[in-house]
Amino acid sequence: MQRPLAGSGQGREKADGEEEELLHGPLLDFKQDFTAGGQVRRDDQPAVTGPDLLSALENGLPEIERNGSVILKNSGNTVAAVTENGYVSFDADSGEVTEIKYKGKDYLNTTPACHTNGFLPNIYRAALDNDSTEGNGRWFKLGIEDTEFVLKGFEITENSDCVTAKSDYDLKVKNKTLYKSSLYYTVYPSGQLEVKATLKKHSKDALADLPRFGVSFEIPRSFDCVKYYGRGPVENLCDINVQSPVGIYESTVDGLFESYLKPQDNGNHGGTKWVELKADDGRKLCIYAFPKFSFNVRHFTQKALVEARHPEDLKDMNTTVVNIDGFLRGSGTASCGPDTLEKYRFSCEEEISFRFIISTQI
């Protein structure tokens, strides 16, 4: 069960003097009203203890700290961007981020359940009930649920105030390259890691209309407490969000899971400016948006969710899987009516991209 900490009024006329913000894009297609003070809190809600809500409204991003040094160190096929308090290591053969260390602590799962380290592009979702007859029929026929990510190039460079790296992937289905995707990394002296992801349709056989474009990665199972500034407390998509006002919410990984009779993608929270995942030993991994993303978190992989036929098929896999989506298709009503409206879809006919920053704390 999620506990709301603060929220903004929704579903009402704008009062005199209020600021109206129109958020565009398939993920951000809604109107949002803020009171002049930026915060509305009921008497039964505890005070905000994390990042201040007004600050989150205005900024959302931490200041990028460029003071200090970050240097490259090589050991075999491992290349590490080393900072004063830790390092981010890459496998030069696979292009994967293999470790994020801060003050001697791990912030990536070094034994991931999906057997792939670090970050990977993600273009599929476990079919929603409303995906079954329209979009998912096309996606399933194409086979994108079995997309293979093949590294085509990796490069890493030491700069004066950061280290930059780039991993280029062919997204293959049935041995045919359908999409091209790149992940760009910037490691700053503070240890902050900026990630930018791009996607573009490559083959005429590929579909430009996809269920999602995001980045997935695994962190240790102990990161179970979730705090975020975005739409909540219940799940939402870009075409179903009136029930989910913007605010600061707290929950657990399992608390964000929404169970369906037929397991499917769930627990998405759009319009998110930041999410903080906290481990039982006090470690925090904070993810900040440019300007907003959707996210969900689970203790099992997307593959397990796709293959599950009943809720009891889903087992804890001793991991925390984080999905950060820059683009997420709406739900629509295709199980009994029209497919998702055009304005709640996105296209990768031309290159699309999004980015976020990861900050580690202890």
Side-chain angles (χ1 to χ4, degrees), residues 59-78:
N59 304 308
L61 285 169
E63 182 179 351
I64 295 177
E65 300 173 18
R66 297 176 180 269
N67 294 327
S69 64
V70 53
I71 60 174
L72 278 182
K73 291 188 177 180
N74 296 272
S75 178
N77 67 335
T78 299

Side-chain angles (χ1 to χ4, degrees), residues 72-319:
L72 278 182
K73 291 188 177 180
N74 296 272
S75 178
N77 67 335
T78 299
V79 187
V82 181
T83 65
E84 180 181 354
N85 292 310
Y87 60 85
V88 177
S89 63
F90 299 82
D91 186 316
D93 293 335
S94 66
E96 298 171 358
V97 176
T98 54
E99 284 185 286
I100 297 178
K101 283 266 195 184
Y102 180 70
K103 293 187 176 180
K105 301 287 187 177
D106 283 312
Y107 286 80
L108 283 183
N109 190 338
T110 55
T111 56
C114 71
H115 308 296
T116 299
N117 290 303
F119 307 84
L120 272 182
N122 189 12
I123 62 172
Y124 190 62
R125 68 183 176 200
L128 308 180
D129 288 335
N130 287 340
D131 287 338
S132 299
T133 57
E134 292 291 335
N136 193 58
R138 301 191 297 272
W139 304 326
F140 188 78
K141 183 177 180 180
L142 189 63
I144 65 170
E145 73 277 8
D146 294 319
T147 300
E148 180 184 6
F149 301 90
V150 179
L151 184 72
K152 300 305 291 182
F154 174 75
E155 57 188 59
I156 189 165
T157 305
E158 181 179 328
N159 305 287
S160 60
D161 60 353
C162 64
V163 164
T164 55
K166 178 188 177 188
S167 298
D168 296 318
Y169 295 95
D170 282 354
L171 276 56
K172 289 180 173 285
V173 176
K174 300 172 184 176
N175 294 319
K176 185 170 186 178
T177 300
L178 297 184
Y179 305 93
K180 297 275 191 178
S181 182
S182 295
L183 296 181
Y184 298 80
Y185 305 98
T186 304
V187 183
Y188 296 101
S190 60
Q192 293 165 309
L193 174 64
E194 182 178 329
V195 181
K196 176 184 174 183
T198 67
L199 177 72
K200 185 178 181 181
K201 176 182 169 182
H202 177 71
S203 167
K204 62 179 178 60
D205 297 325
L207 294 170
D209 177 14
L210 292 171
R212 72 165 10 125
F213 173 47
V215 171
S216 299
F217 59 100
E218 294 184 42
I219 61 179
R221 170 64 175 79
S222 59
F223 283 84
D224 191 53
C225 296
V226 186
K227 185 175 182 178
Y228 65 96
Y229 170 61
R231 284 192 169 271
V234 297
E235 65 176 357
N236 49 87
L237 290 168
C238 56
D239 58 349
I240 308 175
N241 57 38
V242 174
Q243 78 287 356
S244 301
V246 172
I248 296 177
Y249 299 93
E250 281 187 329
S251 186
T252 62
V253 172
D254 286 340
L256 291 175
F257 180 75
E258 301 281 352
S259 183
Y260 288 84
L261 188 61
K262 168 63 176 73
Q264 55 197 275
D265 193 66
N266 67 84
N268 295 291
H269 292 271
T272 299
K273 272 201 159 184
W274 51 260
V275 57
E276 172 192 287
L277 295 123
K278 184 178 179 181
D280 52 16
D281 63 356
R283 281 174 294 168
K284 292 181 182 179
L285 186 142
C286 303
I287 309 166
Y288 299 89
F290 285 93
K292 296 178 177 66
F293 53 61
S294 181
F295 82 95
N296 63 36
V297 287
R298 306 184 181 110
H299 286 313
F300 47 82
T301 64
Q302 178 171 284
K303 185 174 187 292
L305 186 60
V306 169
E307 293 177 349
R309 293 294 174 261
H310 308 281
E312 56 268 27
D313 295 335
L314 295 167
K315 309 295 184 184
D316 192 309
M317 300 177 72
N318 194 34
T319 191

